[in-house]
Amino acid sequence: LDMIWVEPGTFTMGSPTTEADRFTTETEHNVTLTQGFYLGKYEVTQAQYEAVMTGNTDSLSATPSQYGGNPNRPVEKVSWADAQIFLTRLNAQQSGNIPAGWSYVLPTEAEWEYACRAGTTTAYSWGATIATSNANYSTSGLSQTSDAGNYAANPWGFFDMHGNVYEWTADWYAVYSSGAQTDPTGPASGSTRVLRGGSWNRAGTYLRSAFRGNVNPSDRANDHGFGFRVGFKQQ
């Protein structure tokens, strides 16, 4: 896993009322992240998923992708629950290499948006509008996933945070508060988990940095493509 260190900092999470196609749950609020963290430079690929999940005892396929046989494309038929099993296995497999108190995790929703924005305040990390040269989405004409890193990275070096496949985050879904928050982790319980980033068959508005999807954590998305990106941080 190729990972990038993200420094702690403060940013405005959510979207302004002037942003085109903004959703009402994206209320702007200031967020401060007091701890730095690592985040995957790329979405987890089919090859990486297979390497960790082969031999699992949970009756899960190690090769679940709709567009299988493409080791460098992101895995994209993975539920939130499946991702947790992946992370448990990854932490066990790498236990001898992990410093005490650290672990591989899904990023929180706030950490994900912070890394996606990468210091920007526009609808997308490259600007206010989207074109087919920016990301893999419904207008791009591919009609399926593409290799990880096929489009330009954002200002902090992360690839495909917009498009290709939706990415699970750690948080339960809830409507934002407008107040400032420090190290938010979402509500303690809920019925759906947060997805971010849009996918190859979704319109450009779903790729915005602030866009929030929410789905049952057992859903593997046969049509939209659910994958994930791994974080690594001190607990």
Side-chain angles (χ1 to χ4, degrees):
L1 291 169
D2 195 351
M3 309 196 89
I4 297 173
W5 174 252
V6 180
E7 293 284 352
T10 298
F11 76 111
T12 300
M13 188 172 179
S15 59
T17 56
T18 55
E19 190 167 291
D21 300 318
R22 174 186 179 271
F23 289 84
T24 57
T25 63
E26 297 167 10
T27 305
E28 280 193 309
H29 57 290
N30 287 334
V31 169
T32 298
L33 300 176
T34 63
Q35 300 293 323
F37 58 96
Y38 287 96
L39 187 64
K41 187 175 182 178
Y42 307 99
E43 296 160 327
V44 172
T45 65
Q46 293 179 27
Q48 290 168 336
Y49 191 82
E50 183 176 3
V52 172
M53 295 295 280
T54 295
N56 76 83
T57 58
D58 299 277
S59 300
L60 295 178
S61 171
T63 56
S65 297
Q66 182 174 351
Y67 306 108
N70 293 284
N72 294 322
R73 293 191 191 188
V75 65
E76 34 67 22
K77 286 180 66 176
V78 176
S79 71
W80 186 93
D82 296 343
Q84 296 304 312
I85 292 171
F86 174 97
L87 292 165
T88 297
R89 290 180 61 82
L90 178 62
N91 281 308
Q93 290 171 10
Q94 296 298 316
S95 60
N97 302 317
I98 296 175
W102 286 72
S103 61
Y104 291 104
V105 295
L106 288 179
T108 66
E109 186 178 12
E111 289 168 345
W112 191 97
E113 186 170 328
Y114 182 56
C116 177
R117 288 188 176 280
T120 67
T121 59
T122 47
Y124 308 93
S125 61
W126 55 77
T129 59
I130 188 171
T132 56
S133 59
N134 297 132
N136 184 8
Y137 67 112
S138 62
T139 308
S140 301
L142 297 181
S143 301
Q144 57 182 278
T145 55
S146 57
D147 282 359
N150 200 39
Y151 294 84
N154 76 6
W156 288 356
F158 294 104
F159 289 87
D160 297 313
M161 297 204 78
H162 306 277
N164 218 8
V165 297
Y166 277 105
E167 300 179 21
W168 290 107
T169 69
D171 296 11
W172 290 109
Y173 174 83
V175 175
Y176 287 152
S177 164
S178 60
Q181 298 180 37
T182 299
D183 298 324
T185 58
S189 62
S191 58
T192 58
R193 295 282 184 177
V194 178
L195 285 159
R196 290 303 205 107
S199 74
W200 82 88
N201 69 350
R202 298 296 272 168
T205 187
Y206 295 95
L207 276 65
R208 293 176 300 103
S209 297
F211 170 73
R212 311 177 71 214
N214 67 105
V215 175
N216 187 297
S218 64
D219 195 333
R220 295 190 174 96
N222 292 330
D223 50 355
H224 296 317
F226 295 169
F228 62 107
R229 187 182 303 260
V230 173
F232 184 64
K233 62 184 182 180
Q234 193 167 20
Q235 301 299 297

